[in-house]
């Protein structure tokens, strides 16, 4: 909660991809206010970070991106974001996420009232007739769980009642430290009382101010002209508008939510983690209700930007990030992290770290596999244990079973790449490409020195170093005569267990050749001390 005086719940589906956060809930008519102002100027010093507070990520987006999405979902006439701390960094991030947002700079006058005032002045300058009219919603850049649906309820309540101001409030079990909402008998808001100034009876009130408002533009404009900085903090407070609007005869009302998470802000990393955990819980709840099996929600994290189909299974310790898409009947995990990946229908991915990769229908990946950007595994293909791939197109049914590296390469349909194979794609200056044809079979520990092409149906022998193209159907092998240096161990490692074993074996062989009885087997034991040493 983000006001100077800090304080209809939304469903889990509001935060899950099956029912995107930008859409109002069923049964609620979409309202388009004249403007939404997102306050994003604070320093967030309690975060103790070089990164501005509102740029800290949660569920795959920055906090301010979540806030902008909720605001944009209202379809406002204009959307403005007020910036100051780390102005250029924050403004660039906002512009990238929502190019249509109006960036407004807060001046030297501190306070949320002044932030809204400069935003309203900027919006007035662009409005027809020189003044904005209608409903203006004010929200914050660090309330990432706030949904469009709840904002739409706030706007609907405000406009249906003809209010001058409508404040969004939260009902808390423990309201200690928050500004209390004081109501008249008719339910209208009489004022907001700071905790430190509240009486015992007022402190018993559990309804608090969230700092999120809907204003009538004309009322807001006139009241802000009257708000001063004559207070202990020397700031221009937005909360002062409520009393001024009421004094001018306007109706001030409130919409209460029991879902405190929607209006909860993050001022430090403890609060940020709590919000992230709650956001993830809601995301997983929505996906499970949409037909996804999540075996262990406590260890599964899914960004708001991820897309899942029915009958997907997520096993423990799975993290899905970015633009990852998982199609029907795919099984992900355990112990798997995928970022910006596409997993096609019926594929299985376990104990894998993948980025920017596509896994074909019915394919299998893992365990202990590293998929780097540009990996494309075809249907029914396999990338097995302790394998790394990068910028590789792997055909239908091809198998890279274990202990290898394929980078900057094409592997044809049905190829079977043996254990310990690698593509040597880098010459120290440039990357080169390897092309392996369909139905190729490669022996263990083959090295492909790129650029090189292996034709369809070719074979390589174990230990081959392939430096030139291999014709279709050929066998590539590296032939070098094997040379044995007789007596090397005894000559160069005297007194060692190996030398003792070699001497024993030599003696046994000589005795057998002469027809003499063999010495006891213990004479060749590596642990037995050699006579005279």
């Amino acid at each position: 909660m983000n006001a100077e005086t800090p304080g209809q719940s939304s469903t889990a589906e509001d935060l899950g991809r099956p029912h995107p956060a930008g859409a109002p809930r069923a049964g609620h008519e979409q309202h388009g206010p004249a403007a939404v102002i997102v306050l994003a100027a604070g320093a967030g010093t309690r975060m103790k970070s070089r990164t501005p507070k509102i740029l800290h990520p949660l569920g795959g987006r920055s906090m301010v991106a979540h806030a902008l999405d909720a605001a944009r979902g209202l379809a406002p006439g204009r959307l403005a974001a007020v910036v100051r701390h780390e102005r250029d960094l924050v403004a660039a991030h906002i512009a990238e996420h929502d190019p249509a947002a109006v960036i407004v700079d807060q001046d030297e006058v501190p306070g949320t009232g002044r932030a809204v005032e400069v935003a309203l002045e900027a919006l007035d300058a662009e409005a027809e007739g020189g003044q904005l009219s209608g409903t203006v919603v004010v929200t914050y850049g660090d309330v990432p769980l706030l949904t469009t649906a709840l904002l739409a309820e706030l706007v609907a309540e405000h406009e249906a009642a003809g209010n001058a101001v409508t404040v969004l409030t939260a009902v808390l079990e423990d309201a200690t430290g928050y500004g209390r909402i004081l109501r008249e008998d008719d339910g209208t808001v009489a004022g907001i009382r700071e905790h430190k100034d509240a009486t015992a009876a007022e402190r018993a009130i559990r309804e608090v101010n969230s700092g999120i408002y809907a204003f009538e533009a004309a009322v807001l404009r006139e009241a802000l002209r009257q708000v001063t900085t004559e207070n202990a903090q020397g700031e221009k407070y937005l909360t002062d508008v409520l009393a001024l609007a009421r004094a001018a005869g306007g109706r001030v009302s409130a919409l209460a939510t029991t879902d405190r998470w929607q209006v909860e802000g993050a001022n430090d990393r403890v609060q940020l983690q709590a919000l992230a955990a709650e956001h993830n819980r809601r995301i997983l709840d929505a996906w499970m209700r949409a037909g996804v099996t999540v075996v262990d929600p406590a260890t599964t994290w899914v960004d708001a930007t991820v897309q899942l189909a029915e009958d997907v299974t997520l096993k423990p310790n799975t993290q899905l990030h970015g633009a990852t898409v998982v199609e029907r009947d795919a099984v992900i995990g355990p112990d798997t992290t995928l970022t910006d990946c596409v997993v096609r229908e019926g594929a299985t991915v376990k104990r894998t770290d993948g980025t920017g990769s596509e896994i074909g229908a019915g394919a299998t990946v893992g365990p202990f596999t590293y998929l780097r950007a540009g990996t494309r595994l075809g249907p029914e293909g396999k990338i097995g244990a302790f394998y790394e791939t990068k910028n590789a197109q792997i055909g239908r049914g091809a198998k890279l079973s274990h202990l290898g590296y394929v980078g900057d390469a094409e592997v044809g349909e049905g190829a079977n790449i043996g254990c310990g194979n690698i593509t040597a794609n880098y010459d120290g200056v440039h990357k080169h490409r390897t092309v392996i044809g369909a139905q190729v079979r490669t022996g263990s520990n083959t090295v492909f020195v790129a650029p090189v092409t292996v034709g369809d149906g070719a074979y390589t022998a174990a230990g081959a170093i392939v430096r030139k193209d291999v014709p279709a159907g050929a066998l590539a092998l590296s032939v070098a005569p094997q040379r044995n240096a007789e007596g090397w161990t005894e000559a160069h490692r005297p007194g060692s267990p190996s030398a003792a074993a070699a001497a024993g074996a030599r003696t046994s062989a000589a005795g057998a050749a002469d027809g003499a009885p063999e010495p006891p087997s213990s004479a060749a034991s590596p642990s037995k001390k050699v006579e005279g040493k």
Side-chain angles (χ1 to χ4, degrees):
M1 292 168 230
N2 294 278
E4 296 85 10
T5 52
Q8 312 301 352
S9 69
S10 292
T11 62
E13 285 83 354
D14 287 330
L15 288 172
R17 299 300 294 176
H19 302 279
R25 285 175 291 175
H28 293 275
E29 182 182 357
Q30 175 73 53
H31 287 268
V36 178
I37 298 171
V38 178
L39 303 185
T45 54
R46 280 181 280 173
M47 204 62 87
K48 291 182 169 53
S49 175
R50 294 179 182 178
T51 301
K53 178 177 75 169
I54 59 173
L55 299 192
H56 278 261
L58 177 154
R61 300 187 181 107
S62 67
M63 285 199 287
V64 73
H66 284 285
L68 291 167
D69 288 347
R72 182 59 74 186
L74 284 175
R78 303 306 298 270
L79 193 161
V82 183
V83 299
R84 181 170 174 80
H85 176 70
E86 294 284 357
R87 187 265 179 211
D88 291 343
L89 185 61
V90 173
H93 179 82
I94 291 172
E96 180 180 6
H97 186 79
D98 191 329
V102 179
I103 306 296
V104 180
D105 291 290
Q106 185 167 0
D107 57 20
E108 298 298 326
V109 180
T112 52
R114 181 54 182 167
V116 171
E117 188 173 32
V118 296
L120 190 58
E121 290 170 354
L123 294 172
D124 280 346
E126 297 184 2
E128 292 184 12
Q131 279 196 336
L132 194 72
S133 62
T135 301
V136 176
V137 175
V138 175
T139 183
Y140 294 83
D142 67 342
V143 282
L145 270 63
L146 179 66
T147 63
T148 294
L150 186 54
L151 286 176
E153 290 184 29
L154 177 66
V155 171
E157 171 76 15
H158 176 78
E159 294 179 349
N163 292 337
V165 183
T166 307
V167 55
L168 180 62
T169 65
V171 178
L172 305 181
E173 289 296 325
D174 182 4
T176 302
Y178 294 106
R180 305 308 204 277
I181 298 295
L182 309 181
R183 289 186 181 256
E184 299 286 7
D185 292 340
D186 63 359
T188 59
V189 175
I192 300 173
R193 185 81 74 221
E194 294 281 6
H195 178 86
K196 63 180 182 297
D197 299 326
T199 65
E202 290 169 340
R203 290 185 178 185
I205 297 171
R206 294 169 50 220
E207 185 181 12
V208 302
N209 179 23
S210 74
I212 298 168
Y213 304 91
F215 296 98
E216 175 56 39
V219 172
L220 178 62
R221 185 181 298 106
E222 179 58 32
L224 285 172
R225 292 193 184 108
Q226 301 175 54
V227 174
T228 72
T229 58
E230 295 177 1
N231 51 62
Q233 284 72 36
E235 297 183 12
K236 196 163 186 172
Y237 290 149
L238 185 60
T239 49
D240 290 350
V241 170
L242 278 69
L244 291 167
R246 185 177 173 84
R251 187 174 189 271
V252 179
S253 187
L255 174 70
T257 177
T258 56
D259 184 1
R260 71 177 181 89
W261 290 106
Q262 288 211 55
V263 295
E264 197 76 60
N267 293 310
D268 58 33
R269 296 182 198 243
V270 174
Q271 293 173 339
L272 178 63
Q273 191 282 329
L275 283 166
E278 176 62 18
H279 180 271
N280 189 66
R281 186 194 67 77
R282 296 181 183 212
I283 289 287
L284 294 181
D285 183 78
W287 281 122
M288 286 188 284
R289 294 181 188 282
V292 174
T293 295
V294 181
V295 175
D296 184 13
T299 62
T300 302
W301 290 79
V302 176
D303 285 353
T305 48
V306 167
Q307 293 283 346
L308 304 176
E310 291 180 0
D311 291 320
V312 163
T313 297
L314 305 182
K315 292 190 174 182
N317 294 309
T318 289
Q319 298 90 40
L320 303 180
H321 301 302
T324 293
V325 175
V326 184
E327 295 183 354
R328 192 164 193 146
D329 295 317
V331 178
I332 312 298
D335 308 317
T336 294
T337 300
L338 301 180
T339 303
D340 299 331
C341 290
V342 176
V343 182
R344 299 298 182 189
E345 186 170 347
T348 299
V349 185
K350 60 183 176 181
R351 292 190 171 88
T352 292
D353 189 304
T355 300
S357 299
E358 180 175 342
I359 299 157
T364 62
V365 177
F368 311 113
T369 307
Y370 182 26
L371 306 180
R372 294 168 61 189
T375 296
R376 300 289 181 267
L377 175 62
E380 307 300 329
K382 177 182 179 181
I383 303 176
F386 301 102
Y387 228 101
E388 179 180 347
T389 60
K390 186 266 295 183
N391 192 25
Q393 284 70 52
I394 302 159
R396 175 184 289 272
K399 295 181 179 180
L400 287 64
S401 292
H402 35 217
L403 297 171
Y405 170 74
V406 169
D408 299 300
E410 297 175 29
V411 178
E413 181 174 334
N416 192 321
I417 307 302
C419 177
N421 282 208
I422 69 166
T423 58
N425 56 328
Y426 185 48
D427 64 8
V429 179
H430 302 292
K431 297 289 181 70
H432 300 283
R433 198 155 187 82
T434 298
V435 178
I436 299 173
Q439 302 300 334
V440 168
R441 301 290 186 267
T442 69
S444 297
N445 296 316
T446 296
V447 177
F448 300 94
V449 183
V452 69
T453 297
V454 179
D456 293 349
Y459 276 61
T460 71
I465 300 177
V466 181
R467 299 180 182 275
K468 60 183 181 180
D469 292 352
V470 180
L475 170 65
L477 63 163
S478 300
V479 179
Q482 181 173 320
R483 172 175 168 267
N484 297 329
E486 295 285 347
W488 186 93
T489 302
E490 291 173 88
H492 294 276
R493 298 291 185 268
S496 68
S498 297
R506 180 169 47 76
T507 301
S508 297
D514 294 338
E518 296 184 8
S521 59
S522 60
S525 171
S527 62
K528 185 175 179 65
K529 183 177 180 181
V530 179
E531 191 79 10
K533 296 293 183 183

